[in-house]
Each structure stands twice: as C-alpha cells, then as structure tokens.
C-alpha cells in the first residue's frame, strides 16, 4: 500500500496550462493554493505547463502571468516552463527504465480501445497487450509503466480518504506519448519533486490522477506532497469551465479583480460583503489571513454569472 504522509514547511504552487486566459475556474485554484501556502508563511511557486504543445495557445502564458500580477498573487522565484525541462523528464524515464518498470507499446489509440477490458472514467483500461514485449513486426509508439495490483491510498485535505486500484481504473499508463511528448503524469511528479513542492492544491478534476502520481513518486523515490483538491467551478452546462466552453478571462484593471471575492465565496470562505469591490490586494490579504480549509465544500457548484 502506498500512502501519503503529512509534511511541515509549506511549498505550494500553481501550475496552469497555457491553453487560454486565466478564467474563473483557474482563478479558484490559483487563489486557493496561494492562500493556503501564504496563510502559514509558505512559498508559492508558478509553473507553466506548456508541454502539450498542440494545446498551447500563443500568448496565453503571458496573459496568465499578467492576470496573476493584477490580482496581486505574487509568486516566488522564477517561473518554471515545462517545455524547457524535457531533459529532466527523460532522465526520470531512464531511471524508471533501469528499474525495469517501463515497456514500449505498439498499440494505437484505436487498438487500446478495441482491446480494453472496460472503459473507466479515465478512459479505456490498457489490456497489457505489449507488456511482455512487442509482437513481431510491431513498432514502438509510446512508453508505458507497469502498474501494481495493490491499492494506492491517500488522504485529501478536502475530499478525505481516497483509494484507487490503478490496474482497474487506468492500467499500465503512458509516460511518453506516441508523438514523443512526455505525459503530464510524469512531468508533474518530476517538477513538483525537483521544486520541493510539498503541498499540491488544484481542481478536483485531478483527484483521479493523484494515485498515478503517488505511484510514480514511490517508483522515483520522491516523498509525496500533501494533496488538497478544490471543488470545480462548473459552467452552466455542468461541464468544467474551460476554453472549450467559451470560458471568459477574469476581469482585472485599476488594481481590482472582482472575481477574487467570488472565488473566495465559491471556496466557502466568509469574506465580508464590503470587500466585494475592494482593491485586489485587500481581498487577497483577507484570504491569506482567514482562509479556512474546513469551510471548503466538496460539492461541485455552478459558478454564478
Ligand atoms: N496544468 C493543469 C491544469 O491547468 C494543472 C496540473 C496540476 O495542478 O497538477 O489543469
């Protein structure tokens, strides 16, 4: 059984993908992670997850940085760009390879789907077709890691005790994709560990990815961070707010960011009404001082407006 442990000095982070501007959903994750880290005098790092190049939107990273600055969310140290760290992911992959945990897979997406014993909320379960080696005439496409049979368990700061059997929810998963790009699951684990991050605060859509990340941490000898997943801000159609759903950039200007107040309310915090139109720094300062994890709801709530 792989279990997370509590750690003490807080190093938090925000890790947006530059696939669009900072919208209400990502502001909730940014503000929640910021307040939780700063509340205890911890540091807060910023990482741009621009690894999935086909999804990167030109100029979006700079727009996100500007929006965070306008909100008064100041990060520590230089911004980390995943696109500049592929040698680190390669090194981690090689370490896993030396431990005999990795194998080349020749299956296309279509083949994975066709051979899947079932499809979970994470997609088709890999049937293990290439686990014992590539069949003759097959060329390697992706690199996968063998998953264990045992449960991965952890205690989330909001959602409580969670467990997942990787074998039945994802199967052997991809660490390097057929297009040569490193998978998010590997990159996030390497980056968090190498940056000293010990508190991961992010949207609850990643709750089901966490067991994969804890498993990778155990394979690479990293200590797991504390995990705090925040309720997702959903669009009116019930889907996660994203660029696909026409998410609008949060409004900032003249030192004000009215969505900060809404984001604190969304996270169950009793921020006073009179701060609704207050300067961004005042709203953030309130959040840093008063943020109470116990008040964060687990239910996914529709964002107003
Ligand atoms: N880049 C991911 C996103 O924007 C977040 C990853 C993480 O926080 O681990 O949804």
């Amino acid at each position: 059984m792989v279990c997370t442990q509590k750690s003490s000095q807080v190093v938090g982070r925000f890790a947006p993908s530059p696939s669009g501007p900072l919208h209400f959903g990502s502001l909730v994750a940014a503000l929640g992670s910021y307040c939780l880290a700063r509340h205890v005098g911890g540091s807060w790092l910023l990482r741009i997850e621009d690894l999935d190049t086909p999804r990167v939107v030109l100029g979006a990273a700079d727009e996100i940085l500007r929006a965070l600055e306008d909100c008064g969310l100041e990060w520590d140290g230089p911004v980390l760009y995943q696109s500049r760290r592929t040698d680190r992911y390669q090194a981690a992959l090689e370490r896993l390879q030396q431990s005999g945990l990795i194998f080349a897979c020749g299956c296309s997406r279509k083949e994975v789907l066709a051979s899947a014993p079932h499809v979970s909320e994470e997609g088709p379960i890999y049937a293990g077709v290439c686990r014992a080696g590539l069949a003759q005439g097959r060329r390697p496409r992706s690199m996968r890691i063998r998953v264990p049979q045992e449960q991965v368990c952890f205690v989330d700061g909001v959602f409580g005790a969670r467990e997942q059997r990787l074998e039945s929810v994802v199967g052997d998963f991809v660490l390097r994709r057929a297009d040569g790009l490193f998978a998010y699951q590997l990159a996030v684990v390497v980056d968090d560990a190498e940056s000293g991050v010990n508190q991961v605060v992010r949207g609850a859509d990643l709750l089901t990815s966490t067991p994969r990340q804890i498993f990778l941490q155990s394979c690479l000898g990293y200590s797991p961070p504390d995990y705090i997943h925040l309720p997702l801000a959903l669009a009116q159609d019930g889907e996660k707010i994203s660029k696909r759903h026409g998410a609008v950039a949060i409004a900032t200007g003249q030192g004000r960011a009215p969505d900060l107040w809404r984001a604190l309310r969304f996270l169950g915090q009793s921020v006073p009404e009179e701060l609704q139109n207050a300067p961004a720094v005042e709203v953030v300062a309130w959040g840093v001082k008063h943020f109470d994890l116990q008040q964060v709801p687990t239910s996914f709530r529709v964002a107003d407006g």
Side-chain angles (χ1 to χ4, degrees), residues 44 71 84-85 92 94 98 101 120 148 167 217 235 299-300 303:
W44 189 67
C71 288
R84 301 178 195 162
R85 290 180 43 81
E94 281 165 20
Q98 279 154 16
L101 292 164
S120 77
E167 214 183 25
Q217 286 151 6
S299 59
F300 295 170

Side-chain angles (χ1 to χ4, degrees), residues 70-88:
D70 288 349
C71 288
L73 299 175
E74 291 177 1
W75 56 90
D76 295 306
V79 180
L80 210 71
Y81 289 86
Q82 286 191 326
S83 55
R84 301 178 195 162
R85 290 180 43 81
T86 49
D87 56 333
R88 303 306 307 149

